[in-house]
Structure formats: structure tokens, C-alpha cells
Amino acid sequence: MASHADFKDRQFLAVIGDEDSVTGLLLAGIGHVTTGADAQKNFLVVDNKTDNAAIESAFESFTEERKDIGIVLINQHVADRIRHRIDSYTAAFPTVLEIPSKDHPYDPEKDSVLRRVRRLFGE
Amino acid sequence: MEQQHIDELLERYLGLLNEYTVLRQSLSQVQSGVYQNIARANFSGERGMRYGQDHYDERMQAARRLTISVDDKLQPTFAVIDVPAEEPEEEKAKASGETEKQGDEEDSEKPARKKNKKNKNPLHWFGLFAPMPLRTAQTQSVQAVEEVIPRLVSINAEMLNLEIEVRRARKRRAKAEAVAEKKGEARGVTDTQPQKAPVEAS
């Protein structure tokens, strides 16, 4: 499933979320901008004007293109906007974790783990 | 025997589920604390100062990084560690043999080392004297990043592995049952037919 080399270099957490969520997590010191010509950020601030394509492309970049990210944190309400992408994502690394935001408390109904639990016992 | 194995797996699974739920609650609590404190800082900010993306340092370097270890059962464990200021540079030095680009950068980085160290705390993006609520938000966020989040994703991975094991065990049990049924059918076809009828009716 996961090769040895695949997880070793994954040393960053990435965030996709509203401004306060990103600010809060960056305060903890997880923010990183790569050095070099194409400075890549490991976060995306999403607001009402951000279109879904931008969210999707950030998600794709963090999960598929970049090999240095181990956990992708995404606000649950932002994840809802690209739900099909989130639900069809099955790779072991990076792992995706949905987190609550200021205006949207965590909804267990949408929790991927709890949905898996239901599937396991409902079979 | 297979049933007992499945029960054991499910017992472990439910234990993890319980821990997951507790951690989820504590993440929600910690995060809402962070949001409240950022809101407080924004409310009391001078001249409408907003503690947000306009002040992020575009050259930020991660001070907290992830380490992932995988055991022989391919079970990953996540941890977030505080990286001392020197370490990233050491890493770069190690990697310099691999890419020429990084080797070139190294020379120019040495004089900047002291400066880097100073700027490491993201609080300083918002000025030298960050308000108290923002400091509290930082403490809470560090707790989420160091304690809650790595544990949550580790448990998630462990649960995923257990789900696979449970499904495999269930398949084996179904196979064993099918074999037993076939044996039963071979013994007496006439006996099984009247037994089936009431099941279908119900």
C-alpha cells in the first residue's frame, strides 16, 4: 500500500480553510513556503469569492503533486464544496482530516470515519 | 473460532472509535477556543487591525513538522515535533549532494541564520507585541497540532487497517459457512427443504 520512500519526506501539514482557521494553524508554526523560484505555500485561505476549482486544485496539489505533505487539514464546510473529491480520495498518504471552523461546528453526520463505522456494522 | 476473532477485532475497533470521538470533541473545543481568541484579538485590534492573511510572512518556514513512522504491519503513526531553528538547515546540508540548486542556496543562507531564528515565531508577523488573546490562540493551536491532530489521524489509520481485517475475517467466515452448508446439503437434501420454507414465509 504505502511504500517506504512515500512517507519519509512527508514532513508538512497543509491547510485549506477560512482565514481564521488558517491563521490559527499557522500560529502553531506549521506554515511553510518553499524556497526557490516557484514558492509553494502549504495553505489556502478560502472565502466566499474563492471558486471551487481553486479549492480543488489546491487539494490536488497537496494530495497528488506534492510529496512533502503528510496531513491535509480542511474545514468541513470547505470539504463539502468538493465533497466528491474528498470522498473518492483513498490514498494512505497524505491523510485528510476535516476540522471545524468558526461558523460551522463539526457535524458528525459528515464525518468520514463515522460513516465508515456505520458501513462496517451495517453490512 | 473465526467469530471469536471477529469479535476481538470489533472490540478493539470500538475502543478506537471511543478514543476518536473523545479526541474529536477536544479538537472542537480547542479550535473554538482558537477562533474566539482570534476574534477577541481582532475586536481589540488598534486601528481596525485584523489578524489575518495580510500579515503572513511570505517566507515562513515550518517550525512544527510531521514525522511518520510505519510499523511492520504498515500501520502508520503520526507525530508533530517542534523543529529547532538549526535543523532545517542541517537537512538542507544533507540534501545538498542531491540537488545542486540547494547547494547554491546554502552559501547565501548562512548570514541569514540569525535573522531566521528571530523570525521563527509566527506571532511576530503581527508586530512585536502581539495581544494576549492571540498568544492564547497560539498556545491552543499548538496543543491541537501537537497532541490532538496527530493522534486523530493515527487512530483513523488504525481503524482503516482494522476494517480491512474485519472484512477479511468475515469473508473467511462466510466461506467456512458455505462449505459447512454444502456438507449439510450433501448429507440429506430432503431434510433441508422443509426447514427453508418457514424462513421464506417470514
Side-chain angles (χ1 to χ4, degrees):
Chain A
M1 192 167 62
S3 74
H4 223 63
D6 193 30
F7 65 85
K8 258 189 162 176
D9 299 325
R10 297 189 179 276
Q11 51 173 332
F12 299 118
L13 292 97
V15 205
I16 304 175
D18 61 24
E19 191 175 23
D20 283 353
S21 301
V22 175
T23 301
L25 287 160
L26 293 194
L27 275 175
I30 65 160
H32 194 86
V33 179
T34 56
T35 50
D38 60 330
Q40 284 185 309
K41 294 172 182 171
N42 64 341
F43 58 89
L44 174 76
V45 176
V46 176
D47 57 25
N48 292 335
K49 287 175 227 146
T50 315
D51 53 5
N52 292 357
I55 301 171
E56 215 171 321
S57 101
F59 183 76
E60 226 171 83
S61 155
F62 294 156
T63 54
E64 284 164 29
E65 288 156 30
R66 291 184 62 167
K67 305 293 175 206
D68 57 351
I69 287 168
I71 301 176
V72 178
L73 301 167
I74 181 165
N75 276 154
Q76 196 175 41
H77 76 279
V78 177
D80 281 342
R81 290 172 60 177
I82 53 161
R83 185 52 69 192
H84 58 287
R85 288 291 275 114
I86 306 272
D87 285 349
S88 58
Y89 179 78
T90 52
F93 298 112
T95 178
V96 176
L97 187 74
E98 291 179 39
I99 56 168
S101 60
K102 189 169 75 174
D103 303 320
H104 303 81
Y106 194 75
D107 180 1
E109 281 297 310
K110 291 175 188 157
D111 187 306
S112 62
V113 173
L114 298 182
R115 274 192 302 178
R116 274 184 0 234
V117 172
R118 249 174 274 148
R119 236 177 292 148
L120 188 73
F121 286 100
E123 267 172 1
Chain B
M1 210 181 79
E2 199 61 67
Q3 185 58 50
Q4 198 193 339
H5 178 55
I6 294 173
D7 287 344
E8 279 165 14
L9 290 175
L10 288 179
E11 199 184 329
R12 243 171 73 204
Y13 188 77
L14 288 175
L16 288 172
L17 176 62
N18 182 43
E19 200 178 338
Y20 179 85
T21 321
V22 172
L23 281 167
R24 265 286 170 207
Q25 273 171 359
S26 73
L27 181 67
S28 287
Q29 261 173 22
V30 173
Q31 290 284 95
S32 76
V34 172
Y35 302 140
Q36 270 175 24
N37 278 304
I38 291 176
R40 241 175 245 156
N42 282 333
F43 183 72
S44 57
E46 274 174 48
R47 292 184 294 273
M49 162 90 171
R50 209 185 132 69
Y51 296 91
Q53 56 179 327
D54 293 344
H55 299 276
Y56 296 169
D57 179 1
E58 294 291 316
R59 296 161 301 160
M60 63 178 89
Q61 298 286 299
R64 286 200 166 69
R65 298 189 184 197
L66 197 61
T67 53
I68 307 173
S69 52
V70 174
D71 67 9
D72 38 312
K73 280 172 80 187
L74 282 178
Q75 177 70 63
T77 307
F78 296 78
V80 173
I81 48 159
D82 199 347
V83 180
E86 284 83 5
E87 206 162 288
E89 279 157 33
E90 269 175 27
E91 273 172 20
K92 271 179 194 159
K94 265 188 236 159
S96 64
E98 291 163 24
T99 51
E100 284 174 40
K101 205 176 121 199
Q102 276 176 330
D104 290 339
E105 278 169 10
E106 219 181 23
D107 298 329
S108 57
E109 257 171 26
K110 271 183 183 161
R113 181 181 280 191
K114 269 186 187 167
K115 212 173 137 195
N116 260 352
K117 238 184 189 174
K118 262 190 204 165
N119 291 342
K120 207 110 203 228
N121 191 345
L123 268 182
H124 296 161
W125 303 343
F126 306 102
L128 265 180
F129 303 104
M132 203 53 211
L134 206 64
R135 289 171 194 274
T136 315
Q138 183 181 44
T139 312
Q140 288 166 325
S141 192
V142 166
Q143 191 196 343
V145 164
E146 279 192 342
E147 292 165 25
V148 189
I149 290 170
R151 190 74 198 118
L152 262 178
V153 290
S154 299
I155 287 181
N156 177 33
E158 210 175 331
M159 286 174 84
L160 265 174
N161 276 1
L162 267 177
E163 282 161 30
I164 294 168
E165 271 189 66
V166 168
R167 290 211 165 85
R168 276 189 195 142
R170 277 178 179 166
K171 255 183 206 162
R172 279 198 300 269
R173 183 185 61 183
K175 247 185 204 172
E177 278 174 2
V179 169
E181 220 168 83
K182 259 188 188 173
K183 272 184 190 167
E185 270 177 30
R187 247 184 274 148
V189 187
T190 43
D191 286 349
T192 51
Q193 270 171 344
Q195 271 176 4
K196 264 186 184 174
V199 178
E200 276 165 4
S202 62

